[in-house]
Amino acid sequence: MKFLPLLLANIGRKKMRTILTVGSYAVALFLFGLLGVIDMSFNQGLEVAGVDRLIVRNKTSLIMPLPIAYKERLSQIKDVKDVTFASWFGGVYQEPKNFFAQFAIDVDTYRAMYPEFEIPEDQWDAFVRDRQGCIVGRKTLDRFGWKIGDRIPIQATIYRGLWEFNICGVYEARREADDTTQFWFHFNYLNERTPFIKDYVGWYTVRVHNPDKAAEVTKTIDERFANSSFETTTETEKAFMAGFVKQFGNIKLIILIVGSVVMFTLLLITGSNMSLSIRERTNEIAILKAMGFGPTHILTLILAESIGYAVIGGFLGLSVCKLFTLGGDPTNGLLPVFFLDNKTVILGIGITFMVGLISGFIPALIAMRLNIVRALRSI
Amino acid sequence: MANNQQTQESLIAVKNIHKNYTRGSETIEVLKDVNLNIHKGDFVAFMGPSGSGKTTLLNLLGGLDFPTSGHILIDGQDIAGMSSKKLTAWRAQHVGFIFQLYNLIPVMTAFQNVELPLLLTRLSKKERRQHVETALAIVGLSDRMSHYPRQLSGGQEQRVAIARAIVTDPTFLLCDEPTGDLDRKSANEILDLLTRLVNEHEKTLLMVTHDPLAAKNAGTRFHLEKGVLTANSQGEAA
């Protein structure tokens, strides 16, 4: 602590250079945070996927349906605890940019399958009673300024016509990473109005008694419906989510490449700045060494300075990123879960620290080995 | 009084010092068999033309460099045989440096500059403050503690540098052209201050200078000529 004034004096020595160095870290960490948010948003389903839930879909494609009769047959399979189903609706509220996911759900079984979503009992009861009722996630409700009791028109895109729903309740998430942008309505309402696809569902969700038996149950389900008109592909909820994300390309790899390039560039910039700064201070370092500052003191002071720039810049960048994400999803529904999580913050701070350490290491080593006599002679 | 005979009272005893530098295949002999004794409380001036080896000798006495051969006994300790690490710790405790260009850290106040050597000690913050205030009072800059070097005149900057050199109460002070960058008036003030440090505060002071007027303040004057120490006035060389 007693060396802090010396450290701060050095950090504040060239204000413009300090601003630019700290700014470089801030911009890089803002970008890092944002990439982390996007990655997390794409993969949020993986993080929160239920370990005991399996998704059963049509083997041909997710857009192909399965018969509603499968529900009973799935329930009879050994080690299956619960079964529910849902269908994708794909409607538009007012204009196409107002995207959010709408699911026609089995009112009797869906809620129990997803205990991570909280809905007040009276609201759920009102929803069950109202065939045109719907439950809306908190984010979507807030996004459009809806309230319970509102009647919402949704223009169908896969099906036909304008569909109207009464908002009976709102669901909240227990965890920050849970998606609260969904919109649920009665499957029966969909089933009645779509005679051309009557008694077909989009997919089933199955809960197993024991997650350790998931692989076994998966195999049993697919074997049960093998060689039928509607063969199935069953996978864990996590694998299903991962497959869904893959449709967008290898997001993780793209983020990793962009992030690495940014960090490497940052390393070069800050390393160059530190070298320049140390070269300008050769005489001062020589004086400090003459006074009795040892190699360890010099090394520590310069590394602390380099890490100081990094930590200040990193903190600024991540703070701005946090503020930015507080505004919610800027993509109108593409990234339903949009927040900077603690894991990304800690990783960001760790990376910043390492970049600061590495960029300061060579200049610190040069300063540490500085020959006092030669340095004093060059003044 | 300084002389070339080592006595029991010698604070600094330099014995048969040689210092060579190598430039490519050429070896340059900078100091040739230098012998010297300096007593506690001496004010010694080293004079000589550029390249005569004055600063090299000062660097050796201050533990900034190692002799090619010979011994440098300071208070009985041979610093020529010390490791770099030991020598660093020894410098912090025993030597106060004063340079021609003051070499203050421009982004630190006078107080902070003077406090720097004390950061290497175990003194508390309060004790450090007391030491710094005392040192700045001795050099007459109690009212300039919070000033940055750019807000001080050359003479005042050199006073801060002197305060920094004496704040740890070192065994001796080494001054390399302390008045070389000052006008006559400021130079005289600095020389008066250095003389006062010797006379009133019993400091041992070794000064390299080109300036005969500055050297007059010293009790003993040595001349270096092509690496060979020659006697002058009270001093004698081998």
Side-chain angles (χ1 to χ4, degrees):
Chain A
M1 280 302 280
K2 60 185 175 182
F3 293 101
L4 195 63
L6 179 58
L7 183 65
L8 293 178
N10 284 332
I11 286 178
R13 176 182 293 257
K14 297 255 179 182
K15 293 199 170 43
M16 185 51 74
R17 185 187 293 162
T18 301
I19 290 169
L20 292 175
T21 307
V22 167
S24 304
Y25 276 106
V27 170
L29 264 291
F30 173 78
L31 188 62
F32 172 83
L34 208 56
L35 291 173
V37 170
I38 293 168
D39 180 50
M40 206 257 323
S41 187
F42 271 102
N43 292 292
Q44 57 86 21
L46 302 179
E47 301 295 326
V48 296
V51 290
D52 56 352
R53 290 196 294 248
L54 306 175
I55 303 293
V56 184
R57 60 178 176 86
N58 191 303
K59 190 177 178 179
T60 311
S61 162
L62 182 59
I63 61 167
M64 300 301 287
L66 291 171
I68 201 167
Y70 276 20
K71 184 187 173 191
E72 203 54 41
R73 293 176 68 184
L74 285 166
S75 305
Q76 290 163 5
I77 290 172
K78 192 186 166 200
D79 291 320
V80 168
K81 190 178 173 189
D82 300 307
V83 180
T84 190
F85 58 81
S87 291
W88 178 259
F89 185 67
V92 166
Y93 174 64
Q94 293 180 333
E95 46 186 326
K97 70 170 188 175
N98 292 337
F99 171 83
F100 58 94
Q102 303 117 29
F103 299 137
I105 63 163
D106 178 22
V107 174
D108 297 333
T109 53
Y110 198 81
R111 190 186 180 200
M113 186 62 77
Y114 296 98
E116 59 265 42
F117 298 129
E118 292 180 317
I119 308 153
E121 211 57 48
D122 57 326
Q123 292 179 17
W124 181 259
D125 290 344
F127 168 61
V128 172
R129 285 194 301 272
D130 183 354
R131 181 59 64 98
Q132 291 188 332
C134 67
I135 296 284
V136 186
R138 169 59 66 191
K139 271 189 189 163
T140 298
L141 192 90
D142 292 344
R143 179 181 168 196
F144 297 114
W146 295 339
K147 56 186 185 304
I148 293 172
D150 283 356
R151 191 161 173 82
I152 304 300
I154 303 282
Q155 179 62 50
T157 54
I158 301 169
Y159 307 100
R160 289 176 197 152
L162 188 72
W163 296 56
E164 292 193 341
F165 301 94
N166 305 315
I167 299 179
C168 298
V170 55
Y171 79 83
E172 311 273 357
R174 286 182 203 275
R175 301 165 296 189
E176 204 172 5
D178 284 322
D179 177 12
T180 56
T181 66
Q182 298 172 18
F183 177 103
W184 307 333
F185 65 95
H186 289 247
F187 174 78
N188 289 343
Y189 184 36
L190 176 73
N191 208 28
E192 281 166 13
R193 285 189 59 174
T194 53
F196 56 95
I197 194 168
K198 195 170 171 62
D199 292 338
Y200 286 95
V201 304
W203 64 89
Y204 286 94
T205 306
V206 167
R207 187 196 301 284
V208 292
H209 280 292
N210 180 359
D212 295 340
K213 300 260 184 179
E216 204 177 305
V217 175
T218 298
K219 198 174 165 209
T220 309
I221 292 172
D222 290 342
E223 282 174 0
R224 178 70 51 92
F225 300 109
N227 302 316
S228 70
S229 306
F230 296 93
E231 289 190 312
T232 60
T233 291
T234 306
E235 53 200 345
T236 59
E237 194 171 70
K238 194 165 188 171
F240 174 77
M241 297 290 187
F244 201 74
V245 172
K246 267 187 191 165
Q247 292 175 10
F248 294 94
N250 196 339
I251 303 290
K252 220 172 189 63
L253 182 68
I254 294 167
I255 287 172
L256 194 69
I257 290 170
V258 173
S260 302
V261 169
V262 169
M263 287 302 163
F264 186 69
T265 310
L266 183 67
L267 193 69
L268 295 181
I269 294 170
T270 52
S272 156
N273 274 353
M274 279 306 295
S275 297
L276 194 64
S277 171
I278 299 307
R279 187 177 296 179
E280 286 170 358
R281 273 187 274 157
T282 301
N283 64 329
E284 286 176 27
I285 292 163
I287 298 299
L288 288 176
K289 291 183 87 168
M291 268 182 219
F293 280 67
T296 315
H297 286 120
I298 301 294
L299 184 82
T300 309
L301 276 169
I302 291 168
L303 284 182
E305 184 182 334
S306 180
I307 292 167
Y309 288 123
V311 170
I312 296 168
F315 178 76
L316 275 176
L318 289 170
S319 300
V320 173
C321 186
K322 183 75 183 173
L323 287 175
F324 181 73
T325 56
L326 289 180
D329 174 19
T331 63
N332 294 321
L334 183 65
L335 306 168
V337 177
F338 194 81
F339 72 97
L340 185 64
D341 64 335
N342 291 341
K343 206 171 93 182
T344 307
V345 171
I346 291 166
L347 185 65
I349 291 170
I351 289 174
T352 315
F353 186 88
M354 286 310 292
V355 171
L357 188 73
I358 296 167
S359 65
F361 189 71
I362 292 175
L365 210 62
I366 292 169
M368 190 180 97
R369 292 176 176 172
L370 184 79
N371 182 296
I372 306 173
V373 173
R374 211 169 296 151
L376 289 175
R377 206 183 294 148
S378 67
I379 295 171
Chain B
M1 180 189 284
N3 58 52
N4 64 327
Q5 300 302 310
Q6 188 188 357
T7 64
Q8 281 192 327
E9 298 83 41
S10 290
L11 177 71
I12 299 168
V14 175
K15 292 179 179 177
N16 311 113
I17 283 292
H18 288 262
K19 178 66 184 175
N20 301 339
Y21 286 117
T22 309
R23 191 180 294 158
S25 56
E26 189 189 0
T27 300
I28 303 159
E29 212 176 350
V30 183
L31 291 176
K32 297 169 190 169
D33 197 28
V34 173
N35 288 279
L36 179 69
N37 284 297
I38 295 166
H39 302 283
K40 193 174 186 305
D42 279 353
F43 185 171
V44 179
F46 295 98
M47 298 188 73
S50 295
S52 59
K54 306 184 298 291
T55 299
T56 301
L57 179 60
L58 211 65
N59 290 339
L60 294 176
L61 294 173
L64 298 178
D65 205 356
F66 293 96
T68 307
S69 65
H71 299 279
I72 303 169
L73 297 168
I74 314 255
D75 233 356
Q77 268 188 299
D78 188 358
I79 64 165
M82 277 187 190
S83 68
S84 290
K85 194 179 171 185
K86 267 194 174 174
L87 205 54
T88 301
W90 176 85
R91 277 200 307 270
Q93 207 180 338
H94 294 282
V95 194
F97 291 96
I98 299 159
F99 300 96
Q100 180 180 353
L101 296 175
Y102 336 127
N103 290 321
L104 300 178
I105 295 187
V107 287
M108 300 184 93
T109 62
F111 183 95
Q112 289 172 322
N113 267 288
V114 176
E115 193 187 18
L116 276 173
L118 295 177
L119 298 180
L120 301 168
T121 66
R122 291 179 186 276
L123 295 176
S124 68
K125 192 176 178 180
K126 193 180 164 194
E127 289 168 325
R128 290 203 304 270
R129 170 163 280 279
Q130 284 170 350
H131 278 69
V132 173
E133 284 173 355
T134 305
L136 282 168
I138 289 172
V139 299
L141 284 179
S142 294
D143 57 340
R144 295 282 190 276
M145 280 197 283
S146 55
H147 284 58
Y148 286 91
R150 66 176 180 277
Q151 297 167 319
L152 300 171
S153 66
Q156 287 171 329
E157 279 194 76
Q158 191 59 296
R159 283 166 187 243
V160 175
I162 293 169
R164 183 178 66 185
I166 62 172
V167 73
T168 53
D169 192 21
T171 308
F172 62 102
L173 298 173
L174 292 179
C175 313
D176 193 355
E177 302 276 7
T179 58
D181 206 45
L182 297 173
D183 58 62
R184 192 71 259 164
K185 185 173 172 285
S186 301
N188 287 338
E189 284 171 5
I190 292 300
L191 289 166
D192 286 347
L193 174 60
L194 294 177
T195 309
R196 214 152 41 80
L197 289 175
V198 175
N199 295 338
E200 294 173 20
H201 298 272
E202 295 174 345
K203 297 289 171 200
T204 307
L205 204 144
L206 284 69
M207 177 174 72
V208 159
T209 184
H210 274 109
D211 181 2
L213 288 174
K216 273 188 179 172
N217 288 268
T220 309
R221 288 178 292 277
F222 286 110
H223 271 268
L224 269 159
E225 191 77 42
K226 293 181 180 173
V228 177
L229 196 66
T230 56
N232 191 356
S233 62
Q234 296 97 324
E236 288 175 5

